[in-house]
Amino acid sequence: MASLFSVHNGFSTLFWEATWLNDLPLKEVFPDLYDISRLKYVSVAAMGGWKEGMWVWGDFGLSAREVEVLCLEAVYEEFIGWLEDFVDWKEGRDSVEWKDSEEKVFTVASCYNFYNNLRLHYGPANRNDEAFELLWKLDVPFKIKAFGWRLFRDRLPVKELLKNRGIPIPLDDLNCSFCDNSLESSSHLFFSCLVVKNIWSEIANWVGKGDRVDVECLSNFMDWHLFFRSKKVKVRKLGVVWLATTWIIWLVRNGACFRKDEWNVNNTVWNIKHLVWRWSFCGKITHPNYSLYEFCKDPLHFLS
């Protein structure tokens, strides 16, 4: 957790559930004691009281007999040791501090860094780590950048993810909306589905790139990014074709899945080309009056 409860009077902080004494809630540090406690959802202040100017803890809803029967005496002593070290009572109401900011105040940037660091591995730098930074620099609408970020993080509501989250989906409706042969995961839907591979192949031929498709999302993005970089495409246009392709695939999938829309590869490819052309006008452009027809004949010329 990146947030930490700062206990003042103790009335607003849940004793077992909140992160207030250490980096983890007490229920996760001492799960056996939590399971047998009769006072699970009470505040820190409700677990004791002041006596002659000294704070005295109660029994925490724990039965001494039950602790003994379950052989939790050592765990209980450690638990009490944690609480004895807490003397940081303050005046006023409890507050929440954001640990990943120097000012202890929540910001979107610090939240992004927190979740991004959860994904990044420890060890030598990987070229794919650069994808997140490159994404936010592209000249595309913000909602498309947010879509790309969710795709990078595997957080789009594909059927596999919904199933894993316990959302009831009929077994006969879990397969890919395009090929109907495999479970619809992000990697399958966007990269390894045979139907989708045909779309990528058409787009690759259009821009003069080999049609090899990497089924790992970040590797796929960086592969296209490096190709366009080698063609001297503008920095803010390097990922435009990749984002347009994945975005249109997602829209077509949603239409087929929820509205039973009819579609075909040829129309999908033209929709991608049209979207790339529209996004090519975002930001500073060199050729302000070119048509879709001119753009489709030589897209790299107008993106570079």
Side-chain angles (χ1 to χ4, degrees), residues 8 18 85 107 146 209 223 236 244-245 248 295:
H8 291 240
D85 293 336
T107 62
K209 179 184 180 300
D223 183 41
R236 292 186 175 274
T245 304
I248 293 296
F295 180 81

Side-chain angles (χ1 to χ4, degrees), residues 37-91:
S37 173
R38 301 184 304 277
L39 301 175
K40 284 186 169 61
Y41 302 104
V42 301
S43 66
V44 174
M47 284 296 193
W50 293 95
K51 184 177 181 180
E52 298 179 357
M54 298 289 293
W55 178 261
V56 179
W57 293 107
D59 63 5
F60 312 104
L62 300 171
S63 165
R65 175 61 179 165
E66 200 166 4
V67 170
E68 181 181 354
V69 170
L70 296 175
C71 301
L72 297 175
E73 295 93 335
V75 176
Y76 182 78
E77 289 181 8
E78 182 184 359
F79 170 68
I80 294 298
W82 276 45
L83 295 171
E84 287 178 345
D85 293 336
F86 180 74
V87 294
D88 194 23
W89 294 95
K90 306 180 184 71
E91 294 183 359

Side-chain angles (χ1 to χ4, degrees), residues 4-5 7 13-15 18-22 26 44 57 83 86:
L4 178 69
F5 280 79
V7 175
T13 303
L14 292 177
F15 179 83
T19 306
W20 63 278
L21 196 60
N22 210 306
L26 288 172
V44 174
W57 293 107
L83 295 171
F86 180 74

Side-chain angles (χ1 to χ4, degrees), residues 52-163:
E52 298 179 357
M54 298 289 293
W55 178 261
V56 179
W57 293 107
D59 63 5
F60 312 104
L62 300 171
S63 165
R65 175 61 179 165
E66 200 166 4
V67 170
E68 181 181 354
V69 170
L70 296 175
C71 301
L72 297 175
E73 295 93 335
V75 176
Y76 182 78
E77 289 181 8
E78 182 184 359
F79 170 68
I80 294 298
W82 276 45
L83 295 171
E84 287 178 345
D85 293 336
F86 180 74
V87 294
D88 194 23
W89 294 95
K90 306 180 184 71
E91 294 183 359
R93 300 173 60 182
D94 298 347
S95 61
V96 180
E97 297 178 350
W98 185 256
K99 296 188 297 182
D100 289 283
S101 170
E102 293 183 2
E103 298 79 14
K104 304 299 182 183
V105 176
F106 173 84
T107 62
V108 174
S110 64
C111 182
Y112 174 81
N113 290 334
F114 169 72
Y115 281 107
N116 199 31
N117 290 335
L118 291 180
R119 183 200 64 81
L120 295 179
H121 60 273
Y122 295 94
N126 187 304
R127 75 163 191 170
N128 295 341
D129 297 343
E130 187 183 0
F132 285 85
E133 181 179 353
L134 295 171
L135 173 68
W136 299 109
K137 296 179 179 179
L138 298 177
D139 281 333
V140 295
F142 180 79
K143 74 173 184 178
I144 305 302
K145 298 178 185 180
F147 161 80
W149 184 80
R150 293 179 71 190
L151 179 54
F152 285 176
R153 297 271 302 160
D154 194 16
R155 291 297 183 268
L156 290 175
V158 294
K159 295 175 183 178
E160 180 188 46
L161 184 62
L162 296 176
K163 175 177 176 290

